[in-house]
CSV table of all heavy atoms in Angstrom, one decimal:
chain,number,residue,atom,x,y,z
C,698,VAL,N,28.7,70.9,-97.1
C,698,VAL,CA,27.4,70.6,-96.5
C,698,VAL,C,27.6,70.1,-95.1
C,698,VAL,O,26.9,70.4,-94.2
C,698,VAL,CB,26.6,69.6,-97.4
C,698,VAL,CG1,25.3,69.2,-96.7
C,698,VAL,CG2,26.3,70.1,-98.7
C,699,THR,N,28.6,69.3,-94.9
C,699,THR,CA,28.9,68.8,-93.5
C,699,THR,C,29.4,70.0,-92.7
C,699,THR,O,29.1,70.0,-91.5
C,699,THR,CB,29.9,67.6,-93.5
C,699,THR,OG1,31.1,67.9,-94.2
C,699,THR,CG2,29.3,66.4,-94.1
C,700,ASP,N,30.1,70.9,-93.3
C,700,ASP,CA,30.5,72.1,-92.5
C,700,ASP,C,29.2,72.8,-92.0
C,700,ASP,O,29.2,73.4,-90.9
C,700,ASP,CB,31.3,73.1,-93.4
C,700,ASP,CG,32.7,72.7,-93.5
C,700,ASP,OD1,33.1,71.7,-92.9
C,700,ASP,OD2,33.4,73.4,-94.3
C,701,PHE,N,28.2,72.8,-92.9
C,701,PHE,CA,27.0,73.6,-92.6
C,701,PHE,C,26.3,73.1,-91.4
C,701,PHE,O,25.6,73.8,-90.7
C,701,PHE,CB,26.1,73.5,-93.8
C,701,PHE,CG,25.0,74.6,-93.8
C,701,PHE,CD1,25.3,75.9,-94.1
C,701,PHE,CD2,23.7,74.3,-93.4
C,701,PHE,CE1,24.3,76.9,-94.0
C,701,PHE,CE2,22.7,75.2,-93.3
C,701,PHE,CZ,23.0,76.5,-93.6
C,702,TYR,N,26.5,71.8,-91.0
C,702,TYR,CA,25.7,71.3,-89.8
C,702,TYR,C,26.2,72.0,-88.6
C,702,TYR,O,25.4,72.2,-87.6
C,702,TYR,CB,25.7,69.8,-89.7
C,702,TYR,CG,26.9,69.0,-89.5
C,702,TYR,CD1,27.8,69.2,-88.5
C,702,TYR,CD2,27.2,67.9,-90.4
C,702,TYR,CE1,29.0,68.5,-88.3
C,702,TYR,CE2,28.3,67.1,-90.2
C,702,TYR,CZ,29.2,67.4,-89.2
C,702,TYR,OH,30.3,66.6,-89.0
C,703,GLN,N,27.4,72.6,-88.6
C,703,GLN,CA,27.9,73.4,-87.4
C,703,GLN,C,27.0,74.6,-87.3
C,703,GLN,O,26.7,75.1,-86.2
C,703,GLN,CB,29.3,73.7,-87.6
C,703,GLN,CG,30.2,72.4,-87.5
C,703,GLN,CD,31.6,72.7,-88.0
C,703,GLN,OE1,32.0,73.8,-88.3
C,703,GLN,NE2,32.4,71.7,-88.0
C,704,VAL,N,26.7,75.2,-88.5
C,704,VAL,CA,25.8,76.4,-88.5
C,704,VAL,C,24.4,76.0,-87.9
C,704,VAL,O,23.8,76.7,-87.1
C,704,VAL,CB,25.7,77.0,-89.9
C,704,VAL,CG1,24.7,78.1,-89.9
C,704,VAL,CG2,27.1,77.4,-90.4
C,705,LEU,N,23.9,74.8,-88.4
C,705,LEU,CA,22.6,74.4,-87.9
C,705,LEU,C,22.6,74.2,-86.4
C,705,LEU,O,21.7,74.6,-85.7
C,705,LEU,CB,22.2,73.1,-88.6
C,705,LEU,CG,22.0,73.2,-90.1
C,705,LEU,CD1,21.8,71.8,-90.7
C,705,LEU,CD2,20.8,74.0,-90.5
C,706,GLU,N,23.7,73.6,-85.9
C,706,GLU,CA,23.8,73.3,-84.5
C,706,GLU,C,23.8,74.5,-83.6
C,706,GLU,O,23.3,74.5,-82.5
C,706,GLU,CB,25.1,72.5,-84.2
C,706,GLU,CG,25.0,71.0,-84.5
C,706,GLU,CD,26.4,70.4,-84.4
C,706,GLU,OE1,27.4,71.0,-84.6
C,706,GLU,OE2,26.4,69.1,-84.1
C,707,THR,N,24.3,75.6,-84.2
C,707,THR,CA,24.4,76.8,-83.4
C,707,THR,C,23.2,77.8,-83.6
C,707,THR,O,23.2,78.9,-83.2
C,707,THR,CB,25.7,77.6,-83.7
C,707,THR,OG1,25.7,77.8,-85.1
C,707,THR,CG2,26.9,76.9,-83.2
C,708,SER,N,22.2,77.3,-84.3
C,708,SER,CA,21.1,78.2,-84.7
C,708,SER,C,19.7,77.7,-84.2
C,708,SER,O,18.7,78.1,-84.8
C,708,SER,CB,21.0,78.3,-86.2
C,708,SER,OG,22.3,78.6,-86.8
C,709,ASP,N,19.7,76.9,-83.2
C,709,ASP,CA,18.4,76.4,-82.6
C,709,ASP,C,17.5,75.6,-83.6
C,709,ASP,O,16.3,75.5,-83.4
C,709,ASP,CB,17.6,77.6,-82.1
C,709,ASP,CG,18.3,78.3,-81.0
C,709,ASP,OD1,19.2,77.7,-80.4
C,709,ASP,OD2,17.9,79.5,-80.7
C,710,VAL,N,18.1,75.0,-84.6
C,710,VAL,CA,17.3,74.2,-85.5
C,710,VAL,C,17.1,72.9,-84.7
C,710,VAL,O,18.0,72.2,-84.3
C,710,VAL,CB,18.0,73.8,-86.8
C,710,VAL,CG1,17.2,72.9,-87.7
C,710,VAL,CG2,18.3,75.1,-87.6
C,711,PRO,N,15.8,72.5,-84.5
C,711,PRO,CA,15.6,71.3,-83.6
C,711,PRO,C,16.2,70.1,-84.2
C,711,PRO,O,16.3,69.9,-85.4
C,711,PRO,CB,14.1,71.2,-83.6
C,711,PRO,CG,13.6,72.6,-83.9
C,711,PRO,CD,14.6,73.1,-84.9
C,712,PRO,N,16.7,69.2,-83.4
C,712,PRO,CA,17.3,67.9,-83.8
C,712,PRO,C,16.3,67.2,-84.8
C,712,PRO,O,15.1,67.1,-84.5
C,712,PRO,CB,17.5,67.1,-82.6
C,712,PRO,CG,17.4,68.1,-81.4
C,712,PRO,CD,16.6,69.2,-81.9
C,713,GLY,N,16.9,66.6,-85.8
C,713,GLY,CA,16.0,65.8,-86.8
C,713,GLY,C,15.4,66.6,-87.9
C,713,GLY,O,14.9,66.0,-88.8
C,714,VAL,N,15.4,67.9,-87.8
C,714,VAL,CA,14.7,68.7,-88.9
C,714,VAL,C,15.6,68.7,-90.1
C,714,VAL,O,15.1,68.5,-91.2
C,714,VAL,CB,14.5,70.2,-88.4
C,714,VAL,CG1,14.0,71.0,-89.6
C,714,VAL,CG2,13.4,70.2,-87.3
C,715,VAL,N,16.9,68.8,-90.0
C,715,VAL,CA,17.8,68.6,-91.1
C,715,VAL,C,18.8,67.5,-90.8
C,715,VAL,O,19.4,67.5,-89.7
C,715,VAL,CB,18.6,69.9,-91.4
C,715,VAL,CG1,19.5,69.6,-92.6
C,715,VAL,CG2,17.6,71.0,-91.8
C,716,ASN,N,18.8,66.5,-91.7
C,716,ASN,CA,19.7,65.4,-91.5
C,716,ASN,C,20.6,65.2,-92.8
C,716,ASN,O,20.1,65.5,-93.9
C,716,ASN,CB,18.9,64.1,-91.3
C,716,ASN,CG,18.0,64.2,-90.1
C,716,ASN,OD1,18.3,64.0,-89.0
C,716,ASN,ND2,16.7,64.6,-90.4
C,717,ILE,N,21.8,64.9,-92.6
C,717,ILE,CA,22.7,64.8,-93.7
C,717,ILE,C,23.5,63.5,-93.7
C,717,ILE,O,24.1,63.1,-92.7
C,717,ILE,CB,23.8,66.0,-93.6
C,717,ILE,CG1,23.1,67.3,-93.7
C,717,ILE,CG2,24.8,65.9,-94.7
C,717,ILE,CD1,23.9,68.5,-93.2
C,718,VAL,N,23.3,62.8,-94.9
C,718,VAL,CA,24.0,61.5,-95.0
C,718,VAL,C,24.9,61.6,-96.2
C,718,VAL,O,24.4,61.7,-97.4
C,718,VAL,CB,23.0,60.4,-95.2
C,718,VAL,CG1,23.7,59.0,-95.3
C,718,VAL,CG2,22.0,60.3,-94.0
C,719,THR,N,26.2,61.5,-96.0
C,719,THR,CA,27.1,61.6,-97.1
C,719,THR,C,27.4,60.1,-97.6
C,719,THR,O,27.1,59.2,-96.9
C,719,THR,CB,28.5,62.2,-96.7
C,719,THR,OG1,28.9,61.5,-95.5
C,719,THR,CG2,28.3,63.6,-96.4
C,720,GLY,N,27.9,60.0,-98.8
C,720,GLY,CA,28.2,58.7,-99.4
C,720,GLY,C,28.0,58.7,-100.9
C,720,GLY,O,28.1,59.8,-101.5
C,721,ARG,N,27.7,57.6,-101.4
C,721,ARG,CA,27.5,57.5,-102.9
C,721,ARG,C,26.1,57.7,-103.2
C,721,ARG,O,25.2,56.8,-103.0
C,721,ARG,CB,28.0,56.1,-103.4
C,721,ARG,CG,29.5,55.9,-103.1
C,721,ARG,CD,30.0,54.7,-103.9
C,721,ARG,NE,31.4,54.5,-103.6
C,721,ARG,CZ,31.9,53.6,-102.8
C,721,ARG,NH1,31.1,52.7,-102.2
C,721,ARG,NH2,33.2,53.5,-102.5
C,722,PRO,N,25.7,58.8,-103.8
C,722,PRO,CA,24.3,59.1,-104.1
C,722,PRO,C,23.7,58.0,-105.0
C,722,PRO,O,22.5,57.7,-104.8
C,722,PRO,CB,24.4,60.4,-104.9
C,722,PRO,CG,25.6,61.1,-104.4
C,722,PRO,CD,26.6,60.0,-104.2
C,723,ALA,N,24.4,57.4,-105.9
C,723,ALA,CA,23.9,56.3,-106.7
C,723,ALA,C,23.3,55.2,-105.9
C,723,ALA,O,22.3,54.5,-106.2
C,723,ALA,CB,24.9,55.8,-107.7
C,724,GLU,N,24.0,54.9,-104.7
C,724,GLU,CA,23.5,53.9,-103.8
C,724,GLU,C,22.4,54.4,-102.8
C,724,GLU,O,21.4,53.7,-102.5
C,724,GLU,CB,24.6,53.3,-103.0
C,724,GLU,CG,25.6,52.5,-103.9
C,724,GLU,CD,26.9,52.2,-103.1
C,724,GLU,OE1,26.9,52.3,-101.9
C,724,GLU,OE2,27.9,51.9,-103.8
C,725,LEU,N,22.6,55.6,-102.4
C,725,LEU,CA,21.8,56.1,-101.3
C,725,LEU,C,20.4,56.6,-101.8
C,725,LEU,O,19.4,56.5,-101.2
C,725,LEU,CB,22.5,57.2,-100.5
C,725,LEU,CG,23.8,56.8,-99.8
C,725,LEU,CD1,24.3,58.1,-99.1
C,725,LEU,CD2,23.5,55.7,-98.8
C,726,SER,N,20.4,57.2,-103.0
C,726,SER,CA,19.2,57.9,-103.5
C,726,SER,C,18.0,56.9,-103.7
C,726,SER,O,16.9,57.2,-103.3
C,726,SER,CB,19.4,58.5,-104.9
C,726,SER,OG,20.5,59.3,-104.8
C,727,PRO,N,18.2,55.7,-104.3
C,727,PRO,CA,17.1,54.8,-104.4
C,727,PRO,C,16.6,54.3,-103.1
C,727,PRO,O,15.4,54.1,-102.9
C,727,PRO,CB,17.6,53.6,-105.2
C,727,PRO,CG,18.8,54.1,-105.9
C,727,PRO,CD,19.4,55.2,-105.0
C,728,VAL,N,17.5,54.2,-102.1
C,728,VAL,CA,17.0,53.8,-100.7
C,728,VAL,C,16.1,54.9,-100.2
C,728,VAL,O,15.0,54.7,-99.6
C,728,VAL,CB,18.2,53.6,-99.8
C,728,VAL,CG1,17.7,53.2,-98.4
C,728,VAL,CG2,19.1,52.6,-100.4
C,729,LEU,N,16.6,56.2,-100.3
C,729,LEU,CA,15.8,57.3,-99.8
C,729,LEU,C,14.4,57.4,-100.6
C,729,LEU,O,13.4,57.6,-100.0
C,729,LEU,CB,16.6,58.6,-100.0
C,729,LEU,CG,16.1,59.8,-99.3
C,729,LEU,CD1,16.0,59.6,-97.8
C,729,LEU,CD2,17.1,61.0,-99.6
C,730,ALA,N,14.5,57.2,-101.9
C,730,ALA,CA,13.3,57.3,-102.7
C,730,ALA,C,12.4,56.1,-102.4
C,730,ALA,O,11.1,56.3,-102.7
C,730,ALA,CB,13.7,57.3,-104.2
C,731,GLY,N,12.9,55.0,-102.0
C,731,GLY,CA,12.0,53.9,-101.7
C,731,GLY,C,11.5,53.8,-100.3
C,731,GLY,O,10.7,53.0,-99.9
C,732,HIS,N,12.0,54.7,-99.4
C,732,HIS,CA,11.6,54.6,-98.0
C,732,HIS,C,10.1,55.1,-97.9
C,732,HIS,O,9.7,56.1,-98.3
C,732,HIS,CB,12.5,55.6,-97.2
C,732,HIS,CG,12.4,55.2,-95.7
C,732,HIS,ND1,11.3,55.3,-95.0
C,732,HIS,CD2,13.4,54.7,-94.9
C,732,HIS,CE1,11.6,54.9,-93.7
C,732,HIS,NE2,12.8,54.6,-93.6
C,733,ALA,N,9.4,54.2,-97.1
C,733,ALA,CA,7.9,54.5,-97.0
C,733,ALA,C,7.6,55.7,-96.2
C,733,ALA,O,6.5,56.2,-96.2
C,733,ALA,CB,7.2,53.3,-96.4
C,734,ASP,N,8.6,56.2,-95.4
C,734,ASP,CA,8.3,57.3,-94.5
C,734,ASP,C,8.8,58.6,-95.1
C,734,ASP,O,8.9,59.6,-94.4
C,734,ASP,CB,8.8,57.1,-93.1
C,734,ASP,CG,8.1,57.9,-92.1
C,734,ASP,OD1,7.0,58.4,-92.3
C,734,ASP,OD2,8.8,58.2,-91.0
Side-chain angles (χ1 to χ4, degrees):
V698 178
T699 53
D700 283 357
F701 194 79
Y702 61 58
Q703 295 165 2
V704 175
L705 296 171
E706 276 172 336
T707 51
S708 308
D709 295 342
V710 177
V714 170
V715 178
N716 305 274
I717 298 163
V718 180
T719 54
R721 297 193 181 104
E724 288 167 20
L725 299 179
S726 309
V728 179
L729 194 53
H732 198 296
D734 201 24

